[in-house]
Every structure is written in C-alpha cells, then in structure tokens.
Amino acid sequence: MTIKNRIFQLAVIVWFGIFSLVIIFPLIWLCLSGLKSNRDFFLNTWSLPEKWLWGNYKAAWDAGVGDFFFNSVFVTIVSVSIILLLGAMAAYGLSRFQFKGQNMLLVIILSGLMLAPQVSLLPLYKLLQAVGLYNTYGALILPYVAFQLPFAIFLMRSYFLSIPKELEESAIIDGCNSWKVFWHIILPMGKPIIASAALLTGMFVWNEFMFALVFIEDSSLRTIPVGLMNLRSQLNTNFGIQLAGLAISALPMIIAYILFQKQFVRGISAGGVKG
C-alpha cells in the first residue's frame, strides 16, 4: 500500500505540475513577448528576447493604457463595493429573518441569474439615454451591479447559513441589535465568502466588453477591454507594445487571486455546505 500511495501521490504531483505549466506558460510568454521588437517577436517567438525592451510597457502606458487602466480600476472598485454591501445585507436578511414571501423573494432575486446581459442590451441603451446616464461611469456601474448582485446574494447567503445562530443569540443577549450583529459578527466571519464574491464579480467587471463598448462613447471613459481594441488599431504594426498592454491589463486580476487565494478557496468550499 505504501508503494501504491507513493505512486499515486507522484502521479497527482506530475498531473498538477503539467496543469500548472499549461496555465502559467501563456502568462509568462505574454509578459516576455511584450519586451520584444517586431523582428524579435516573429523570428524568436518562443525564446527569450534578444534585447529586453522595457520601454514597450511605458509606451503602451503612455499610448492610453494608463487612462483605460484607471477607468477600469474606478469602475471595478465602485461596482464591487456596491455589490458586496447590498449583497451582504440582502444575504443576511434572507438567511436569518423569517417573513412572509421570503422564498418567493429569493426566487425572484435568483431569477436574475437566468437573464443574459445580451438580451437587455437594447432596452438598457434606451433607458440610460432617457435618464441621462449614457456615456458616463454610471452607465457601466449600474448594469454591472444589477447583473452581478443576484450571484453575490446567492453565494453569501449559502455561507451565512453555515454560521451558528448561537453566536447571534449571545450577542443579542449582550445588548446588540440586528445591525450590530451584522457588522460585528456576520461580516467578520464572512470574510472568506466576501473575498470570493469580490474576486468573481471583480473579474467579470474588469473583463466585461459588451456594455463598455455600447454604453461609453467618450474615449477618456473607456475601460481596458475596449481601450485595448482601440490601441490595436493605433499600433497595428507594433506587436510588442500591444502585448505589453495586454500584460498590464491582466496583472491586477492575477495579483488579486494570488493575494486572496486562501480566502477564495475557503469561501467557495464553505459556501456550498448549505443552500
């Protein structure tokens, strides 16, 4: 059995090593290709750069990636903050309070998961123009919140159901009201699932392309996905700078997953205990 276990462990390690290499290699290739000249990129596609052109990243940043980057950061932070705040409060109410029509309200909220964003593109376009939000940050933030909020509520409610009610009862006996219980008990204990919801919704907002293309007309308000498409038309012959811009756009999500991977795994695994 010992030999079999060692063989099994070795096979698992080899398998996950290959899997990790398949994921990591394209990212490394992207970062290295952003340091190459056009000639080096085509003649030495899979090798290290002959000359490390760090100026490609600065050129990409100055060409507009910097502005697109900060637009995406602003929209993502505001959208995710609203989603987490509203989602956590709604999930707490649905997981702890009993009231008439609770199940129906939960079904209505979760039915938002069935609506594809593409279906609502034209109605949203007309609605945003009618209320004067077209071509503003609000034209992106409000739809992002609306489409990601049901998922965040579903995720956090499942986790909040696994938190022992005895903790809340003890806090109420000590004089805490529901609001204090939410801020001082539920939120601190729910950090793993909040981090998971922030990562998943943040990744959607950061990479979203369709709404950002249709609802934003001013180039100064464009986010990274649409901005990189416009950058490609400006630098259609300089692939090094284009790839440098792609590497810059991918960096925030990679850093976020590295920093919060433990909370992400804990939140997803614990959130599936109850539903």
Side-chain angles (χ1 to χ4, degrees):
M1 291 296 296
T2 303
I3 296 177
K4 290 183 179 179
N5 287 338
R6 289 181 178 178
I7 294 175
F8 176 75
Q9 292 177 359
L10 180 61
V12 171
I13 292 173
V14 171
W15 164 253
F16 280 105
I18 296 173
F19 184 72
S20 301
L21 184 62
V22 170
I23 295 176
I24 294 173
F25 179 77
L27 298 176
I28 296 176
W29 178 87
L30 176 63
C31 295
L32 292 177
S33 297
L35 298 170
K36 295 180 178 180
S37 63
N38 274 351
R39 178 181 179 278
D40 195 12
F41 175 74
F42 286 106
L43 297 180
N44 304 303
T45 305
W46 305 107
S47 62
L48 294 174
E50 291 183 353
K51 184 178 180 181
W52 298 69
L53 302 178
W54 296 100
N56 283 351
Y57 282 87
K58 185 179 184 303
W61 186 269
D62 294 337
V65 172
D67 295 332
F68 306 144
F69 183 88
F70 286 116
N71 288 337
S72 289
V73 168
F74 176 77
V75 171
T76 301
I77 290 177
V78 174
S79 300
V80 172
S81 299
I82 296 174
I83 291 170
L84 295 182
L85 180 61
L86 298 181
M89 290 191 293
Y92 173 62
L94 291 171
S95 64
R96 286 298 188 262
F97 302 135
Q98 301 294 327
F99 53 90
K100 187 176 181 180
Q102 178 185 17
N103 293 331
M104 181 60 66
L105 178 60
L106 180 61
V107 170
I108 293 174
I109 292 174
L110 297 183
S111 62
L113 295 172
M114 298 184 294
L115 181 63
Q118 294 83 356
V119 177
S120 62
L121 185 63
L122 184 58
L124 275 176
Y125 178 81
K126 292 184 177 180
L127 178 62
L128 292 172
Q129 281 191 324
V131 299
L133 288 177
Y134 176 75
N135 198 33
T136 65
Y137 288 125
L140 298 180
I141 293 172
L142 291 180
Y144 291 161
V145 171
F147 280 100
Q148 290 301 300
L149 193 56
F151 172 73
I153 293 174
F154 170 74
L155 201 63
M156 289 188 278
R157 175 182 174 273
S158 299
Y159 187 92
F160 291 166
L161 286 172
S162 65
I163 298 177
K165 291 185 178 181
E166 289 78 8
L167 296 174
E168 300 176 50
E169 295 172 355
S170 300
I172 292 174
I173 292 175
D174 290 337
C176 291
N177 54 27
S178 298
W179 187 252
K180 290 182 178 180
V181 169
F182 173 72
W183 278 107
H184 298 293
I185 295 179
I186 299 299
L187 288 185
M189 295 189 66
K191 285 182 180 178
I193 198 63
I194 292 174
S196 301
L199 284 173
L200 294 174
T201 56
M203 183 176 63
F204 169 83
V205 174
W206 184 268
N207 294 321
E208 201 281 326
F209 178 81
M210 183 181 63
F211 287 168
L213 177 65
V214 176
F215 298 156
I216 296 296
E217 184 177 350
D218 192 349
S219 59
S220 63
L221 300 177
R222 287 170 180 162
T223 54
I224 277 281
V226 179
L228 288 177
M229 181 187 68
N230 296 332
L231 182 66
R232 185 184 63 179
S233 62
Q234 298 175 17
L235 305 170
N236 54 3
T237 59
N238 199 323
F239 293 98
I241 297 180
Q242 291 184 45
L243 293 171
L246 289 173
I248 293 173
S249 68
L251 189 61
M253 289 297 105
I254 295 174
I255 294 176
Y257 270 101
I258 293 175
L259 293 177
F260 299 104
Q261 58 181 330
K262 291 184 179 179
Q263 291 85 346
F264 177 75
V265 173
R266 285 177 54 197
I268 293 297
S269 59
V273 174
K274 291 186 179 182

